[in-house]
Amino acid sequence: MTEPAKPPVDSILIIDFGSQVTQLIARRLRETGVYCEIHPFNRAAEAFAAMRPRGVIFSGGPASVTDEGSPRAPREVLEANVPILAICYGQQTLALQLGGKVEGGHAREFGRADVEIKEPSRLYEGVWEIGGRYPVWMSHGDRVTELPEGFRVVATSPNAPFAIAVDEARSRYTTMFHPEVVHTPDGGRLLANFVHNIVGLKSDWTMSAYRARMIDKVRAQVGKGRVICGLSGGVDSSVAAVLIHEAIGDQLTCIYVDHGLMRLNESEEVVTMFRDHYNIPLVHVDASEKFLGALEGQTDPEVKRKTIGRLFIETFEDEARKIGGAQFLAQGTLYPDVIESVSFSGGPSVVIKSHHNVGGLPERMNMQLVEPLRELFKDEVRALGRELGLPEKFVGRHPFPGPGLAIRLPGGVSREKLDILRQADAIYLDEIRKAGLYDKIWQAFAVLLPVQTVGVMGDGRTYEFVCALRAVTSVDGMTADFYPFEMDFIGRVATRIINEVRGINRVVYDVTSKPPGTIEWE
C-alpha cells in the first residue's frame, strides 16, 4: 500500500470522531482552495506529526463524551499552538479535555435551529452581525454546561446555550451546530473565515499544481518499471491512466475488462478514446460470457457485486500474466475510498465498498499500487481530467458504479434484460441532454424492475417489464434529492421508451431522496 504523499502546501488536519458528514468539512475546505486531510481520532497524533498542519478541525460524532472510553483528541494537538475549530462532538470533547463540563439528559436538538449572535468573533466576521438570528443545523444530545477557562459564549440557540463558544486569545473556536452541511446556509463562509482569516492559509490548492506534483511522484515511484492499469470505463480510472501515461509514456499498459454490463456504446467509446485519441497501449478483453454466465439467475445484489469483483480480479490477473514484467498496478482510488477504508467505526462503507479493492491487493499479485488520485474527491478528479485535456463529454459524465448495469437489474441478469435496459437508459439520457439538463443533474439512470405488468398497447394486451427512472441532484455526492422534472418531460420520456423498447409497457419516476452519509447512489 502506498503511503500518502506529504502535503504539498500548508494544510488543515481534520480529526474524525465518526460523524457521517465529516467528508463535507473537507469538501468545503477544498472548495476554498485549501488542502486538508481527514484522519480518525485514534491515528490523529501520527497524522499531526507527519502533516505539521497550520490548523485543526474536530468533527462531530455519534458517541457521548460522558461515556467511558469515548473518543478524545490527541494531547499533542491540544498542547500545540495551532488554531482549532471544534464542531458538535468536537466542541464537547475539547471543552471536557480543557477542564469544562459536558452533561447529557438535556433537551436534544436534531434539525434546523436559529442561533442568535451575542458578541463579535473572528469566526463570523463579515458574515453574521450582533443581534442577528441565523439558521443552522443541529445534531446533538449532550451539551456543554461549563466552559473551560478562557472561553466565552458569543452565540446561543434555544437548546444550545453555548452554540458558539470561543477562546480568541488561543484561536480556539467551537460550534454546537454543523457548518459543513448545506442546511447551515452560511456554514461554508464560516469555514472559509477559519482557514483564511484565522489560520492564515492561501487558496493555493490547484489542479495545475497537483498535476505537476503527481507526475513527478509517479516518475519517482516507478522509475524504469512497467505499470498496468485496470480500466473500468469510468472517469476515475481513465483520469489516472492519462495522468500516468503523461508521466511515463509507454511504460504503461491499460487493460480494459469488458464485463458486458456497460451502458449503450460505452465500451466502444473507451477503446476508441484510449487507442486512437491518446495512443495508450490497451488490451481489450471481452469477458462478457464469463460474467453474464456467473450472474445469470443471481438475485442477491451483494452476491452480484462480489461475483463481479472476483471475476474482474481473476480476468485482470490472467491478462497481466500474459503481458508479464509489470511491477506496478495503477488504480483510480479516490480520497473518500481511503477515508472509508480506515474508518474506526466500521461504518456503512464496509458494505457499500465491497466491490472495490481499496487499500491493497491480493498478496499473490506481488505488485505495488500506483494511486495518483488518492488525495482527490470526485469533482476534483473531473477538474484534473479537464486539466489533462480529456473530452468534456467524458469528464462530465455521471458517476457509473463498478458493477455496472448488474445492480440496475434487480433480480436475475440476462442478455435480453440488459439489452432492454440499455435501450431505455439511452433514451432517458438522450432526452435529458436534449432538454439541457444533463449538467444540472448529479446522476440519472434507468432501472429495470423485476416486475411485469399487464398493459394494453393498440388492440392487444402485453405482459412486460416496468422501468423506473432515477435522477438526483447533489452538491457533494454524499446527500442527494430527486430532480424535479416537469411532468411533460416525464411523459415524453415514458412515451419514447414504451414505443421504442420492446419489453417495457410501464414507466415510473422514483422520487426517493438519498440519506446522509452514504457515498453511492445506485
Side-chain angles (χ1 to χ4, degrees), residues 19 24 68 132 154 207 252 285 302 309 315-316 330 335 352 366 389 412 422 440 465 504:
S19 169
L24 295 186
E68 185 177 352
V154 295
M207 281 303 104
L252 170 71
V285 186
E302 189 63 13
T315 307
F316 185 87
Y335 195 44
I352 291 172
N366 193 30
R422 281 194 187 94
K440 298 179 180 179
F465 289 105
I504 295 175

Side-chain angles (χ1 to χ4, degrees), residues 17 42 59 63-64 73 112 142 180 193 208 252 280 284 290 296 333 353 375 388 418 437 441 450 471 496 499:
F17 291 103
N42 52 358
S59 83
S64 170
R112 289 179 173 83
D142 301 341
E180 68 271 28
N193 265 6
S208 176
L252 170 71
I280 297 176
H284 178 202
K290 179 193 296 186
E296 189 168 1
T333 305
K353 295 296 180 184
E375 299 170 14
L388 290 165
L418 281 169
L437 301 175
I441 295 170
R496 276 198 63 188
N499 285 343

Side-chain angles (χ1 to χ4, degrees), residues 167-181:
D167 180 349
E168 301 264 10
R170 295 181 177 85
S171 293
R172 291 172 174 173
Y173 300 82
T174 71
T175 70
M176 193 68 260
F177 59 89
H178 288 268
E180 68 271 28
V181 300

Side-chain angles (χ1 to χ4, degrees), residues 141-368:
D142 301 341
R143 74 183 187 195
V144 177
T145 55
E146 184 177 318
L147 289 171
E149 183 179 352
F151 279 79
R152 61 189 175 91
V153 176
V154 295
T156 64
S157 76
N159 288 320
F162 301 146
I164 304 179
V166 303
D167 180 349
E168 301 264 10
R170 295 181 177 85
S171 293
R172 291 172 174 173
Y173 300 82
T174 71
T175 70
M176 193 68 260
F177 59 89
H178 288 268
E180 68 271 28
V181 300
V182 295
H183 305 86
T184 300
D186 295 321
R189 298 175 67 189
L190 301 188
L191 291 170
N193 265 6
F194 176 72
V195 297
H196 291 311
N197 300 342
I198 295 170
V199 179
L201 298 186
K202 299 177 181 178
S203 297
D204 52 6
W205 172 248
T206 67
M207 281 303 104
S208 176
Y210 186 89
R211 173 186 182 179
R213 183 170 65 89
M214 274 299 137
I215 286 174
D216 290 342
K217 183 174 183 290
V218 169
R219 286 173 179 164
Q221 180 186 3
V222 172
K224 295 183 179 180
R226 295 188 61 189
V227 181
I228 55 175
C229 177
L231 287 179
S232 67
V235 175
D236 304 336
S237 62
S238 299
V239 170
V242 172
L243 178 65
I244 293 169
H245 185 255
E246 184 169 314
I248 61 172
D250 287 350
Q251 290 172 247
L252 170 71
T253 299
C254 292
I255 299 175
Y256 175 49
V257 177
D258 187 350
H259 49 33
L261 302 168
M262 297 294 284
R263 283 172 153 164
L264 190 66
N265 298 326
E266 281 193 333
S267 287
E268 292 84 351
E269 290 173 2
V270 170
V271 172
T272 297
M273 183 174 73
F274 276 83
R275 281 186 177 162
D276 299 344
H277 185 72
Y278 284 99
N279 198 29
I280 297 176
L282 174 67
V283 176
H284 178 202
V285 186
D286 184 355
S288 56
E289 292 293 341
K290 179 193 296 186
F291 280 81
L292 298 185
L295 293 170
E296 189 168 1
Q298 182 54 250
T299 59
D300 187 323
E302 189 63 13
V303 173
K304 287 182 183 179
R305 289 170 170 274
K306 290 181 177 178
T307 299
I308 293 166
R310 173 179 56 81
L311 292 177
F312 183 90
I313 287 290
E314 291 176 1
T315 307
F316 185 87
E317 283 186 271
D318 289 343
E319 295 302 319
R321 278 192 291 269
K322 294 176 186 177
I323 295 172
Q327 302 87 32
F328 300 90
L329 172 68
Q331 60 182 29
T333 305
L334 302 191
Y335 195 44
D337 303 327
V338 176
I339 296 166
E340 290 160 14
S341 70
V342 299
S343 170
F344 69 85
S345 60
S349 61
V350 171
V351 172
I352 291 172
K353 295 296 180 184
S354 59
H355 64 282
H356 286 212
N357 302 301
V358 177
L361 295 167
E363 289 186 10
R364 64 180 182 273
M365 294 191 73
N366 193 30
M367 302 174 79
Q368 295 183 43

Side-chain angles (χ1 to χ4, degrees), residues 30-31 130 190 230 232 252 263 298 349 380 386-387 408 421 436 472 512 516:
R30 295 280 184 92
E31 287 164 4
I130 298 175
L190 301 188
S232 67
L252 170 71
R263 283 172 153 164
Q298 182 54 250
S349 61
E380 292 173 321
R386 294 184 181 98
E387 174 73 23
R408 295 178 181 170
L421 178 56
V472 295
T512 306

